[in-house]
Amino acid sequence: MSLTLNVNGRDHTVDADPATPLLYVLRGDLQLNGAKFGCGLGQCGACTVTVDGKAVFSCVLPVTAVQGRRIVTVEGLGTVRAPGVIQQAFEVEQAAQCGYCIAGMIMRAKALLDATPRPTEAQIRAGMQPNLCRCGTHMRILRAVRRAAGLPAEPPKAGA
């Protein structure tokens, strides 16, 4: 089936089975390899992209569900030479250890910050919770989200 997808602001026509997960089309047909295959079950978040500004697991989202919607991948946020604000924050905070989860984390942070530009600590933690980092750089990732939001590097102390 021929489908037209708007990815990173550009229309792309692809031939895919309607049930094909969006992740496979992004990686296989469009050569956008930022989103990773992690679990294939929508449980780890390595495949996170945004659709109409909402963070989604692209490994479980059928490609037909995104026709006519705005899809953004990490490649749509910036380049190596001109990284976006969130990408810069993740770099400065050295939020990546192995790097496998980082594109998904950045996209989850993008959706959070677009919806809530100055989130509370609780909102950051809740917003980032669906994505997993198996290397354990969660604290650096939280600092990167705070930095991208223009918040202090460390969360406010309880009771302060």
mmCIF file of all heavy atoms in Angstrom, residues 7 18 22 33 35 47 52 56 59-60 63 66 68-69 75 78-79 91 95 97 99-100 112 117 134 144 157-158:
data_model
loop_
_atom_site.group_PDB
_atom_site.id
_atom_site.type_symbol
_atom_site.label_atom_id
_atom_site.label_comp_id
_atom_site.label_asym_id
_atom_site.label_seq_id
_atom_site.Cartn_x
_atom_site.Cartn_y
_atom_site.Cartn_z
ATOM 1 N N VAL A 7 7.236 13.531 7.759
ATOM 2 C CA VAL A 7 8.280 13.253 8.743
ATOM 3 C C VAL A 7 9.275 14.409 8.728
ATOM 4 O O VAL A 7 9.830 14.751 7.677
ATOM 5 C CB VAL A 7 9.000 11.920 8.451
ATOM 6 C CG1 VAL A 7 10.066 11.630 9.506
ATOM 7 C CG2 VAL A 7 7.997 10.768 8.365
ATOM 8 N N PRO A 18 -0.051 -2.008 5.741
ATOM 9 C CA PRO A 18 -0.689 -1.099 6.700
ATOM 10 C C PRO A 18 -0.380 -1.406 8.165
ATOM 11 O O PRO A 18 -0.393 -0.510 8.996
ATOM 12 C CB PRO A 18 -2.185 -1.269 6.425
ATOM 13 C CG PRO A 18 -2.271 -1.819 5.048
ATOM 14 C CD PRO A 18 -1.019 -2.607 4.820
ATOM 15 N N LEU A 22 5.563 1.882 12.548
ATOM 16 C CA LEU A 22 6.196 3.112 12.080
ATOM 17 C C LEU A 22 7.712 3.026 12.178
ATOM 18 O O LEU A 22 8.421 3.471 11.272
ATOM 19 C CB LEU A 22 5.666 4.305 12.894
ATOM 20 C CG LEU A 22 6.339 5.652 12.634
ATOM 21 C CD1 LEU A 22 6.201 6.069 11.171
ATOM 22 C CD2 LEU A 22 5.767 6.704 13.569
ATOM 23 N N ASN A 33 17.648 6.621 11.371
ATOM 24 C CA ASN A 33 18.055 5.580 12.309
ATOM 25 C C ASN A 33 18.198 6.042 13.754
ATOM 26 O O ASN A 33 18.713 5.301 14.584
ATOM 27 C CB ASN A 33 19.356 4.938 11.825
ATOM 28 C CG ASN A 33 19.145 4.224 10.504
ATOM 29 O OD1 ASN A 33 18.185 3.488 10.341
ATOM 30 N ND2 ASN A 33 20.019 4.483 9.550
ATOM 31 N N ALA A 35 15.716 6.670 16.030
ATOM 32 C CA ALA A 35 14.835 5.815 16.833
ATOM 33 C C ALA A 35 15.352 4.388 16.728
ATOM 34 O O ALA A 35 15.652 3.903 15.642
ATOM 35 C CB ALA A 35 13.397 5.909 16.338
ATOM 36 N N CYS A 47 12.457 3.639 20.878
ATOM 37 C CA CYS A 47 11.859 3.960 19.582
ATOM 38 C C CYS A 47 11.013 5.231 19.601
ATOM 39 O O CYS A 47 10.343 5.535 18.613
ATOM 40 C CB CYS A 47 10.982 2.788 19.143
ATOM 41 S SG CYS A 47 9.532 2.572 20.214
ATOM 42 N N ASP A 52 2.237 14.535 16.112
ATOM 43 C CA ASP A 52 1.427 15.707 16.475
ATOM 44 C C ASP A 52 1.799 16.214 17.872
ATOM 45 O O ASP A 52 0.932 16.606 18.652
ATOM 46 C CB ASP A 52 -0.071 15.398 16.384
ATOM 47 C CG ASP A 52 -0.535 15.161 14.950
ATOM 48 O OD1 ASP A 52 0.154 15.637 14.024
ATOM 49 O OD2 ASP A 52 -1.572 14.500 14.769
ATOM 50 N N VAL A 56 5.327 8.981 21.307
ATOM 51 C CA VAL A 56 4.736 7.672 21.037
ATOM 52 C C VAL A 56 5.841 6.642 20.854
ATOM 53 O O VAL A 56 6.957 6.966 20.458
ATOM 54 C CB VAL A 56 3.826 7.682 19.784
ATOM 55 C CG1 VAL A 56 2.650 8.638 19.947
ATOM 56 C CG2 VAL A 56 4.612 8.000 18.528
ATOM 57 N N CYS A 59 7.509 1.531 17.740
ATOM 58 C CA CYS A 59 7.623 0.094 17.467
ATOM 59 C C CYS A 59 6.277 -0.614 17.503
ATOM 60 O O CYS A 59 6.155 -1.729 16.988
ATOM 61 C CB CYS A 59 8.590 -0.569 18.444
ATOM 62 S SG CYS A 59 7.968 -0.737 20.137
ATOM 63 N N VAL A 60 5.262 -0.012 18.095
ATOM 64 C CA VAL A 60 3.945 -0.644 18.189
ATOM 65 C C VAL A 60 2.849 0.169 17.483
ATOM 66 O O VAL A 60 1.681 -0.186 17.552
ATOM 67 C CB VAL A 60 3.538 -0.905 19.662
ATOM 68 C CG1 VAL A 60 4.450 -1.936 20.293
ATOM 69 C CG2 VAL A 60 3.521 0.375 20.472
ATOM 70 N N VAL A 63 1.821 2.013 10.797
ATOM 71 C CA VAL A 63 2.118 3.150 9.937
ATOM 72 C C VAL A 63 0.846 3.814 9.421
ATOM 73 O O VAL A 63 0.813 5.033 9.224
ATOM 74 C CB VAL A 63 3.075 2.723 8.800
ATOM 75 C CG1 VAL A 63 2.401 1.820 7.799
ATOM 76 C CG2 VAL A 63 3.695 3.922 8.134
ATOM 77 N N VAL A 66 -0.615 6.974 11.271
ATOM 78 C CA VAL A 66 0.053 8.275 11.281
ATOM 79 C C VAL A 66 -0.057 9.031 9.963
ATOM 80 O O VAL A 66 0.524 10.102 9.823
ATOM 81 C CB VAL A 66 1.535 8.146 11.709
ATOM 82 C CG1 VAL A 66 1.629 7.680 13.149
ATOM 83 C CG2 VAL A 66 2.309 7.229 10.793
ATOM 84 N N GLY A 68 -1.227 11.631 7.490
ATOM 85 C CA GLY A 68 -1.827 12.941 7.692
ATOM 86 C C GLY A 68 -1.463 13.596 9.012
ATOM 87 O O GLY A 68 -2.025 14.628 9.363
ATOM 88 N N ARG A 69 -0.542 13.001 9.743
ATOM 89 C CA ARG A 69 -0.120 13.567 11.032
ATOM 90 C C ARG A 69 1.350 13.972 10.945
ATOM 91 O O ARG A 69 2.087 13.511 10.080
ATOM 92 C CB ARG A 69 -0.356 12.526 12.132
ATOM 93 C CG ARG A 69 -1.859 12.159 12.207
ATOM 94 C CD ARG A 69 -2.142 11.024 13.117
ATOM 95 N NE ARG A 69 -2.011 11.462 14.506
ATOM 96 C CZ ARG A 69 -2.032 10.622 15.532
ATOM 97 N NH1 ARG A 69 -2.172 9.323 15.343
ATOM 98 N NH2 ARG A 69 -1.905 11.080 16.762
ATOM 99 N N GLU A 75 16.227 13.275 14.350
ATOM 100 C CA GLU A 75 16.916 13.919 13.231
ATOM 101 C C GLU A 75 16.265 15.243 12.855
ATOM 102 O O GLU A 75 16.914 16.112 12.274
ATOM 103 C CB GLU A 75 16.920 13.000 11.999
ATOM 104 C CG GLU A 75 17.763 11.757 12.142
ATOM 105 C CD GLU A 75 17.006 10.545 12.681
ATOM 106 O OE1 GLU A 75 15.868 10.718 13.199
ATOM 107 O OE2 GLU A 75 17.546 9.433 12.596
ATOM 108 N N GLY A 78 17.728 18.797 15.013
ATOM 109 C CA GLY A 78 18.996 19.479 14.796
ATOM 110 C C GLY A 78 19.972 18.545 14.104
ATOM 111 O O GLY A 78 19.636 17.412 13.767
ATOM 112 N N THR A 79 21.174 19.061 13.918
ATOM 113 C CA THR A 79 22.229 18.288 13.257
ATOM 114 C C THR A 79 23.439 18.209 14.179
ATOM 115 O O THR A 79 23.482 18.865 15.223
ATOM 116 C CB THR A 79 22.650 18.959 11.942
ATOM 117 O OG1 THR A 79 23.248 20.237 12.245
ATOM 118 C CG2 THR A 79 21.466 19.154 10.999
ATOM 119 N N GLU A 91 24.017 16.763 25.631
ATOM 120 C CA GLU A 91 25.463 16.705 25.414
ATOM 121 C C GLU A 91 26.215 17.343 26.585
ATOM 122 O O GLU A 91 27.154 16.754 27.126
ATOM 123 C CB GLU A 91 25.824 17.407 24.107
ATOM 124 C CG GLU A 91 27.302 17.324 23.781
ATOM 125 C CD GLU A 91 27.647 17.989 22.464
ATOM 126 O OE1 GLU A 91 26.745 18.238 21.631
ATOM 127 O OE2 GLU A 91 28.837 18.279 22.275
ATOM 128 N N ALA A 95 24.573 13.030 29.187
ATOM 129 C CA ALA A 95 23.466 12.155 29.559
ATOM 130 C C ALA A 95 23.532 10.778 28.908
ATOM 131 O O ALA A 95 22.804 9.884 29.310
ATOM 132 C CB ALA A 95 22.140 12.830 29.221
ATOM 133 N N GLN A 97 25.424 7.273 28.061
ATOM 134 C CA GLN A 97 26.535 6.378 28.341
ATOM 135 C C GLN A 97 26.716 5.514 27.100
ATOM 136 O O GLN A 97 27.595 5.767 26.295
ATOM 137 C CB GLN A 97 26.297 5.540 29.586
ATOM 138 C CG GLN A 97 27.539 4.752 29.981
ATOM 139 C CD GLN A 97 27.447 4.226 31.403
ATOM 140 O OE1 GLN A 97 26.899 4.873 32.284
ATOM 141 N NE2 GLN A 97 27.997 3.060 31.617
ATOM 142 N N GLY A 99 24.292 5.348 24.803
ATOM 143 C CA GLY A 99 23.620 6.158 23.803
ATOM 144 C C GLY A 99 22.406 5.526 23.158
ATOM 145 O O GLY A 99 21.702 6.184 22.395
ATOM 146 N N TYR A 100 22.133 4.268 23.444
ATOM 147 C CA TYR A 100 21.045 3.575 22.758
ATOM 148 C C TYR A 100 19.676 4.213 23.032
ATOM 149 O O TYR A 100 18.865 4.342 22.135
ATOM 150 C CB TYR A 100 21.028 2.092 23.146
ATOM 151 C CG TYR A 100 20.362 1.248 22.105
ATOM 152 C CD1 TYR A 100 21.042 0.888 20.947
ATOM 153 C CD2 TYR A 100 19.051 0.840 22.242
ATOM 154 C CE1 TYR A 100 20.436 0.130 19.960
ATOM 155 C CE2 TYR A 100 18.429 0.076 21.266
ATOM 156 C CZ TYR A 100 19.117 -0.283 20.129
ATOM 157 O OH TYR A 100 18.515 -1.019 19.158
ATOM 158 N N LEU A 112 7.473 16.646 26.320
ATOM 159 C CA LEU A 112 7.207 17.189 27.657
ATOM 160 C C LEU A 112 7.384 18.697 27.675
ATOM 161 O O LEU A 112 6.514 19.432 28.144
ATOM 162 C CB LEU A 112 8.146 16.534 28.684
ATOM 163 C CG LEU A 112 8.178 17.189 30.069
ATOM 164 C CD1 LEU A 112 6.847 17.011 30.782
ATOM 165 C CD2 LEU A 112 9.322 16.619 30.895
ATOM 166 N N PRO A 117 6.560 24.012 29.228
ATOM 167 C CA PRO A 117 7.894 24.591 29.071
ATOM 168 C C PRO A 117 8.713 24.718 30.363
ATOM 169 O O PRO A 117 9.934 24.652 30.314
ATOM 170 C CB PRO A 117 7.617 25.969 28.471
ATOM 171 C CG PRO A 117 6.285 25.830 27.802
ATOM 172 C CD PRO A 117 5.521 24.856 28.658
ATOM 173 N N ARG A 134 19.100 1.652 30.492
ATOM 174 C CA ARG A 134 19.678 0.491 31.169
ATOM 175 C C ARG A 134 21.081 0.763 31.707
ATOM 176 O O ARG A 134 21.593 0.006 32.513
ATOM 177 C CB ARG A 134 19.650 -0.704 30.232
ATOM 178 C CG ARG A 134 18.229 -1.188 30.010
ATOM 179 C CD ARG A 134 18.173 -2.377 29.063
ATOM 180 N NE ARG A 134 16.830 -2.901 28.992
ATOM 181 C CZ ARG A 134 15.923 -2.536 28.089
ATOM 182 N NH1 ARG A 134 16.230 -1.611 27.202
ATOM 183 N NH2 ARG A 134 14.725 -3.081 28.079
ATOM 184 N N ALA A 144 19.632 17.105 32.187
ATOM 185 C CA ALA A 144 19.569 17.611 30.818
ATOM 186 C C ALA A 144 18.190 18.199 30.525
ATOM 187 O O ALA A 144 18.081 19.256 29.895
ATOM 188 C CB ALA A 144 19.898 16.493 29.827
ATOM 189 N N LYS A 157 15.120 21.200 46.917
ATOM 190 C CA LYS A 157 15.110 20.293 48.079
ATOM 191 C C LYS A 157 13.699 20.150 48.607
ATOM 192 O O LYS A 157 12.928 21.101 48.577
ATOM 193 C CB LYS A 157 16.039 20.805 49.198
ATOM 194 C CG LYS A 157 17.484 20.983 48.760
ATOM 195 C CD LYS A 157 18.145 19.645 48.610
ATOM 196 C CE LYS A 157 19.616 19.853 48.306
ATOM 197 N NZ LYS A 157 20.131 18.958 47.323
ATOM 198 N N ALA A 158 13.378 18.988 49.103
ATOM 199 C CA ALA A 158 12.051 18.747 49.678
ATOM 200 C C ALA A 158 11.822 19.706 50.845
ATOM 201 O O ALA A 158 12.694 19.903 51.683
ATOM 202 C CB ALA A 158 11.919 17.298 50.133
#
